[in-house]
Amino acid sequence: MGDIVHNKPELAEESMAAQPKAVVVGGSIAGLSCAHVLISAGWQVVVLDKSSTPPTGTPTGAGLGIDPVSISILQSWLKQPLEMFYEASLPIHTEQNQTTDGEANVMRILTRDENYNFRALHWADLHYLLYNALPSEIFSWGHFFLSFTISDDKTSVKVKSRVLPTNEIVEIDAHLLVAADGSQSSIRHTFLPDLKLRYCGYVAWRGVLDYSGAEDSEVLNGIRRLYPDIGRCLYFNLTSGAHSVLYELPNKKFNWLWYVNQPEPELKGNSVTMKVNDDMIKKMHQEAEKVWPPEFVRLIKQTKDPFVNVIYDCDPLQQIYWGNVVLVGDAAHPSTPNGGRGTTMTIADAAVLGKCLEKWQGIENLRLALDEYQSIRLPVTTAQVLHSRRMGRLKQGLKVSDDEKPFDPRTASPEDCRDIQMKNMPFFYSVPSILSKSLSL
């Protein structure tokens, strides 16, 4: 059966003039963040996502960290006290990098920052809060983005999607297309067809352990002995050629990652998450016993459904908008997770984009708004992507440059450890000036 083409309620010219319209591709945290700021800026919004149904609150993904600036931005979007956010998150006051002598199981602290002041929560919980604060009618679930066409006069864009599973083709006319479609953005590929993601030399095994009902188990007691500040500390454990991450999430959960150097694996489809089988998990458990203290190994073994993220980034982009198409989040700056800035960069992208659109009202000023958005965000994201890349290679014991020896946590001096601390990320404490008046910090 052939495709059926429908024009989604196309706005009359008068309506288009009265209220600008944006299509956001992607219903993840980046897309929802953009929906919030666009509505606040007076735009009509349509969010397209290939997922067949809205989120139900079922935990997917894993843990993430939010800094004070992002929390203040979220408060301005949610238009309500942040009790639900605070209930869904835990304060992480401290960041600690440490190394373990595997044979003696002796811990040595490399760096400790007791003014880290992030909050940790599950990806699904943040997504739920953002989604529930938006009008449900803006979402088109089960819409697979296909293509877009910019009008000859550059004032509008026609977006085409396929409705799953009916194969109906829907076309939407808008003034702005927001690409929130992730690190492998098909919209970005239209403008930068030769841009390839760069494999970073390692993957991350990760998982979330739910210890409900096992609060006094050997696993939990061992973790609390080895990591005495768990629940308020973000732990990085470094060893030769690998490092792990551990922190607590609300509702009796631990989030962990183990970064493993290896050749680039073969991925199927358009996802950087690799499917794993029982044999791979068994082998991972065996390798963990050779690398990590037994307390951490038991935690890994008790975790159901661990998965693998293959770590990619790309060299910073020189521009993040073309005409009336703009990139946000991972589509604008694919980055390694080592700097802990993925979600915070995404939230800042959206917030700055929204303020620029508020400042430069009117479709005739759209280019000025996108120019300012790009000029504010590019220097920040460029520096943070490159620093996160450096942090990852240092912690994995990989060569950073021809002039530097690989980082070795067993012999590292305090000066050597400077760049593995989160607080030394460029722009770590900065607030974009366009946001400073509207945030309560």
Side-chain angles (χ1 to χ4, degrees), residues 28 35 41 48 179 350 392:
S28 191
L48 305 179

Side-chain angles (χ1 to χ4, degrees), residues 153-224:
D153 62 4
K154 311 296 184 186
T155 61
S156 65
V157 58
K158 187 183 292 290
V159 181
K160 185 182 290 188
S161 65
R162 183 188 302 277
V163 182
L164 305 174
T166 66
N167 282 335
E168 175 189 357
I169 303 299
V170 173
E171 294 180 343
I172 309 173
D173 289 308
H175 298 103
L176 176 65
L177 173 59
V178 180
D181 55 341
S183 63
Q184 302 201 66
S185 169
S186 61
I187 297 173
R188 185 186 66 222
H189 180 76
T190 303
F191 299 103
L192 302 170
D194 297 327
L195 180 71
K196 305 293 183 188
L197 293 184
R198 170 187 167 278
Y199 178 58
C200 295
Y202 51 94
V203 304
W205 275 95
R206 60 189 309 180
V208 175
L209 173 67
D210 185 340
Y211 64 85
S212 302
E215 290 85 350
D216 198 33
S217 66
E218 180 184 6
V219 173
L220 264 292
N221 291 332
I223 287 296
R224 297 202 184 281

